[in-house]
Amino acid sequence: FTSAGNDTIKLNVEANNTNISTATTTDVDTIDLANDVDVTMTVTQHGKLNAAAGDNTITLSDAGTITGDTNVETYVLADGGGTTITIGADGQNVTTGNGADTIDVGTRTATGIFTTSATSIIKLSDGADITGVDAAGVGAGTAFVANNLTLANNASATMTAAQNNSFTDTIDGAGTNTITISDAAAVTGLAGIETYALAAGAQTFTLGATGQN
């Protein structure tokens, strides 16, 4: 797909399960997905995505940084790690690859399905709520396979006890952070998180650091 002039070139992907990742699309201006079409593409090609109708899944063939398109229901990230996806809608679904990929929820109240690996990272900004996230289709609020959590500077975020307890590896929280637990269940505080706000009801909280509030 090339042009020697100043034409505007639009690539319409009409067939389901099309792989355009090996196509030369340097001169393509926009890429549109037809109704209910699933496609495999590169990160660069994704940057040209203009429209997606119906229920679409995009599989990325390489690593990079993207923001999920509002009209795309599901993203599948490439194996090998190194991809950061900022979800573009509260209900967007993400399946990470087998490496250290990051799902950046931003400030959203997320309700999609996150299918992760142990090396995956969940990133949350101030006001984020992930209690409605379905971990690998098991149910809303269930434990992630992902073991790593990043909180933006001075972020306060809400999650379930099971989700909090999934984060057993790297906890990266800049500034002063607060995690609100939405349900009354046993919780172990994460080191590096300054403050926990617990749900009403009987529960056991185990401090993760001596100065934890």
Side-chain angles (χ1 to χ4, degrees):
F1 303 95
T2 60
S3 172
N6 296 317
D7 300 326
T8 297
I9 302 176
K10 178 166 67 175
L11 173 60
N12 292 320
V13 182
E14 302 284 347
N16 194 27
N17 297 319
T18 299
N19 186 344
I20 65 170
S21 65
T22 57
T24 301
T25 54
T26 306
D27 293 327
V28 169
D29 296 293
T30 61
I31 297 174
D32 291 358
L33 304 185
N35 192 56
D36 295 338
V37 163
D38 300 337
V39 64
T40 298
M41 61 173 53
T42 67
V43 168
T44 298
Q45 289 168 337
H46 180 269
K48 299 181 179 187
L49 188 66
N50 179 64
D55 191 337
N56 310 105
T57 295
I58 289 180
T59 299
L60 296 176
S61 62
D62 59 348
T65 299
I66 70 164
T67 297
D69 187 278
T70 303
N71 297 313
V72 174
E73 286 69 27
T74 301
Y75 281 87
V76 179
L77 308 186
D79 282 336
T83 296
T84 295
I85 179 170
T86 301
I87 61 171
D90 291 350
Q92 203 156 66
N93 309 312
V94 180
T95 296
T96 65
N98 58 9
D101 295 317
T102 298
I103 302 175
D104 189 342
V105 174
T107 61
R108 292 184 178 278
T109 299
T111 57
I113 300 172
F114 291 178
T115 304
T116 57
S117 69
T119 53
S120 300
I121 302 160
I122 306 297
K123 183 177 180 181
L124 308 174
S125 295
D126 190 44
D129 186 333
I130 58 171
T131 57
V133 171
D134 186 339
V138 178
T142 49
F144 295 112
V145 175
N147 294 155
N148 307 288
L149 173 67
T150 296
L151 292 179
N153 189 52
N154 296 328
S156 295
T158 302
M159 63 186 67
T160 67
Q163 289 170 335
N164 176 88
N165 294 341
S166 351
F167 300 123
T168 57
D169 198 349
T170 301
I171 312 302
D172 185 3
T176 301
N177 305 109
T178 298
I179 289 179
T180 297
I181 302 298
S182 63
D183 56 332
V187 175
T188 298
L190 305 177
I193 304 302
E194 286 74 20
T195 301
Y196 274 84
L198 304 182
Q203 59 207 282
T204 300
F205 182 81
T206 302
L207 286 172
T210 55
Q212 204 160 59
N213 304 310

